[in-house]
Amino acid sequence: MEKEIIMSVAIWILFLGGLFGFAMGMLAYFAAKTPLEYGTMGIGGGAYLFGSGVLAYLKYRH
């Protein structure tokens, strides 16, 4: 039971972190920042979203 709760919290933290990184990357893109700035935020957000997806897969695989 505790493992399930911890995984659920980790999924949400990674998912919301990924959305935040994606949103900040889009904001930087439309604010005409350098590609390094919005690319880094986009890649970081994508990594967080990927991690969230992997954890969701592992949790619901059973």
Side-chain angles (χ1 to χ4, degrees):
M1 185 67 165
E2 290 177 19
K3 177 182 164 186
E4 203 170 299
I5 294 171
I6 291 171
M7 288 187 82
S8 293
V9 170
I11 289 168
W12 277 105
I13 288 173
L14 288 172
F15 180 72
L16 294 175
L19 286 182
F20 179 75
F22 175 74
M24 293 305 292
M26 291 299 289
L27 183 66
Y29 176 75
F30 289 118
K33 301 284 184 178
T34 65
L36 179 65
E37 291 172 321
Y38 64 79
T40 303
M41 287 183 241
I43 290 171
Y48 272 63
L49 288 172
F50 180 74
S52 173
V54 168
L55 277 179
Y57 173 75
L58 291 175
K59 179 182 176 192
Y60 296 111
R61 186 176 64 167
H62 298 284

